[in-house]
């Protein structure tokens, strides 16, 4: 089954601030939380229509994360926690866009990493590293990883979007032709997100987004 990689931008600190916040949320955060709970409940209803039972509902998982723990012993609780975290990200991020659909994205981008590494691209700019980087930094408690690897997260500081795009562009004419299209997709996405980031930083005094988040589902 194919997995879809989508992306959006957000302020990582705004997302982490919800995790373990408990009753200390600001009025604005409570408004965001209400939207998260609504989307989490809608997600849970979709799961139930598919007869999917993780042993922990998405709304309950969201409440656990806000309370500051992810310690359910249900076999598939990690799926619920990761899904709830995605709702926290979505409520604080730009509208998502799809990067693409891949049958085995971890394998594919691992091979792409090998090719780019061979051509001299720095390790911290290799795509598998950021596409599968995991949840945001700074979560104040352990978050279990889904056993089946879905959903999953990635993240890249927006400050690295242009360096990554430039690094790929420099070696594009030497990349295995079977990989060229996918590298161009990455370059176009990174260029656009960098340009949007620069535009917003220069013109919007309230703008604090600093991270490109990736979501891998399917």
């Amino acid at each position: 089954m194919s997995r879809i990689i989508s992306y959006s931008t957000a302020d990582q600190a705004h997302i982490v601030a919800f995790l373990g916040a408990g009753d200390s949320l600001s009025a604005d955060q409570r408004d965001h939380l209400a939207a998260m709970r609504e989307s989490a409940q809608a997600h849970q209803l979709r799961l139930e229509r598919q007869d999917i039972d993780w042993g922990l509902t998405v709304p309950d998982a969201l409440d656990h994360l806000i309370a500051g723990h992810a310690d359910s012993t249900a076999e598939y609780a990690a799926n619920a926690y990761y899904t709830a975290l995605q709702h926290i990200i979505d409520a604080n991020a730009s509208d998502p866009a799809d990067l693409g659909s891949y049958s085995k994205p971890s394998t594919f981008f691992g091979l792409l990493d090998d090719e780019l590494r061979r051509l001299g691209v720095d390790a911290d700019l290799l795509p598998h590293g950021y596409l599968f980087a995991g949840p945001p930094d700074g979560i104040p408690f352990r978050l279990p990883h889904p056993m089946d690897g879905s959903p999953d997260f990635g993240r890249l500081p927006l400050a690295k979007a242009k360096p990554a795009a430039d690094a790929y562009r420099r070696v594009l004419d030497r990349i295995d032709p079977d990989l060229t299209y996918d590298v161009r997709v990455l370059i176009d996405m990174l260029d656009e997100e960098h340009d949007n980031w620069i535009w917003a930083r220069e013109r919007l005094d309230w703008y604090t987004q600093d991270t490109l988040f990736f979501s891998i589902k399917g």
Side-chain angles (χ1 to χ4, degrees):
M1 182 174 68
S2 293
R3 301 181 69 189
I4 296 172
I5 300 180
S6 57
Y7 60 93
S8 58
T9 57
D11 183 326
Q12 182 167 249
H14 288 177
I15 293 165
V16 174
F18 281 90
L19 303 170
D23 296 328
S24 65
L25 295 172
S26 68
D28 182 63
Q29 287 174 318
R30 287 195 294 273
D31 288 342
H32 277 71
L33 180 57
M36 294 174 206
R37 284 183 166 140
E38 184 176 341
S39 62
Q41 183 59 45
H43 197 134
Q44 182 62 35
L45 291 174
R46 291 195 298 273
L47 292 174
E48 291 172 2
R49 284 196 292 269
Q50 300 173 64
D51 294 323
I52 295 174
D53 181 3
W54 287 333
L56 176 69
T57 68
V58 178
D60 284 348
L62 176 61
D63 286 343
H64 288 191
L65 297 184
I66 301 302
H69 62 88
D71 53 6
S72 170
T73 59
E75 184 176 4
Y76 294 99
N79 297 68
Y81 287 131
Y82 263 51
T83 299
L85 178 56
Q86 185 64 59
H87 286 289
I88 295 175
I89 293 173
D90 289 346
N92 289 276
S94 62
D95 291 338
D98 288 343
L99 179 67
S101 177
Y102 303 85
S103 59
K104 295 180 179 179
S106 183
T107 299
F108 174 78
F109 284 103
L111 293 172
L112 181 55
D113 273 15
D114 291 342
E115 178 72 356
L116 293 171
R117 187 183 297 109
R118 180 183 69 81
L119 296 171
V121 173
D122 290 346
D124 65 336
L125 300 178
L126 297 174
H128 189 282
Y130 57 79
L131 290 173
F132 293 88
D137 284 330
I139 297 177
F141 51 88
R142 178 183 173 274
L143 190 65
H145 189 273
M147 289 186 295
D148 58 2
S150 182
D152 208 346
F153 298 106
R155 50 193 160 79
L156 177 72
L158 279 163
K160 287 189 174 182
K162 180 171 173 52
D166 288 346
Y168 305 160
R169 202 166 7 245
R170 282 193 294 270
V171 301
L172 191 58
D173 62 346
R174 293 182 283 143
I175 286 176
D176 182 334
D178 290 338
L179 301 173
T180 300
Y181 171 80
D182 295 280
V183 175
R184 288 188 185 277
V185 169
L186 284 173
I187 291 171
D188 290 346
M189 179 272 294
L190 292 166
D191 279 341
E192 181 177 10
E193 292 306 319
H194 168 77
D195 290 346
N196 291 342
W197 180 57
I198 294 299
W199 185 95
R201 290 180 68 197
E202 291 176 347
R203 292 168 175 81
L204 305 174
D205 58 6
W206 52 264
Y207 183 86
T208 60
Q209 293 185 0
D210 58 6
T211 304
L212 184 57
F213 285 98
F214 298 93
S215 170
I216 303 99
K217 302 176 186 175

